[in-house]
Amino acid sequence: GDNVALPLKEHTRLPATTIREVVLHTLGLVGLSDFADYYPSQLSGGMRKRAGLARAIVMHPPILLCDEPTSGLDPINAAQMDRLLLDMKAHFPEMTTVVVSHDLQSLRMIADHALVLHDGKAVFSGSYHDLQATRDPYLRDFLDRTPAADNAMRPALSPEVRAALDAWLAR
């Protein structure tokens, strides 16, 4: 609760009772109202992510920025985070949400618009459906999880290391 209250304490002059009421309401939006008095160390990873989302939305910002919101979460908690982001979209229709993610399942669930960057340039901008239909070689490799053909990103192993690895794998 104190973590979620921080923006209100720093940027408003609301009385403590009002801040507590707003914090409890916001924690309720992310399913954490029963955990307002817990310390972060007492929360699971998924609960911490939801608490972070509560802190981000407590002042009703016009833009919500989410950096890899499903990173480190198991599939069930990742799906719950997707559901929460969709709930935030419904609850705050005036808020624009920008999500940076490599989680393609999450993209499919939450994105109205996708922007794909490669080498510092936008290589795609459009709907998820159009992204899925692309024939662009880089985008196909990205979407299909195909390793780069030239393997330029992978450092070469020395012949000695390669031989030791091959011998170990052959056991």
Side-chain angles (χ1 to χ4, degrees):
D2 287 341
N3 192 302
V4 175
L6 184 64
L8 295 168
K9 290 177 180 177
E10 291 290 320
H11 301 289
T12 73
R13 293 178 184 216
L14 293 171
T17 54
T18 303
I19 289 176
R20 178 74 176 177
E21 188 177 316
V22 171
V23 165
L24 290 175
H25 172 74
T26 306
L27 285 171
L29 291 175
V30 299
L32 292 176
S33 56
D34 292 341
F35 299 91
D37 297 318
Y38 281 52
Y39 288 100
S41 64
Q42 295 174 297
L43 303 177
S44 69
M47 293 168 85
R48 287 182 196 159
K49 290 228 182 210
R50 288 187 281 149
L53 179 59
R55 185 182 57 242
I57 65 169
V58 73
M59 292 190 52
H60 300 201
I63 299 174
L64 174 64
L65 302 174
C66 300
D67 186 15
E68 300 284 357
T70 59
S71 174
L73 298 178
D74 64 65
I76 294 168
N77 281 313
Q80 183 177 24
M81 180 58 72
D82 290 342
R83 177 80 271 164
L84 270 172
L85 290 171
L86 290 171
D87 289 348
M88 293 304 105
K89 178 179 166 185
H91 193 80
F92 301 104
E94 69 286 352
M95 182 170 58
T96 299
T97 303
V98 177
V99 177
V100 175
S101 183
H102 292 88
D103 185 338
L104 297 177
Q105 287 183 311
S106 182
L107 172 70
R108 181 174 53 86
M109 295 301 299
I110 67 172
D112 292 328
H113 188 90
L115 177 69
V116 180
L117 303 176
H118 178 63
D119 288 338
K121 295 184 174 102
V123 294
F124 176 84
S125 179
S127 71
Y128 177 79
H129 180 271
D130 289 344
L131 178 61
Q132 283 298 113
T134 187
R135 298 213 181 273
D136 177 271
Y138 169 76
L139 292 173
R140 286 283 19 121
D141 286 349
F142 184 83
L143 295 168
D144 299 336
R145 295 188 62 179
T146 306
D150 62 6
N151 292 323
M153 294 174 19
R154 184 172 35 154
L157 296 176
S158 70
E160 296 83 19
V161 171
R162 172 59 65 194
L165 182 59
D166 288 344
W168 181 78
L169 291 172
R171 287 195 245 169

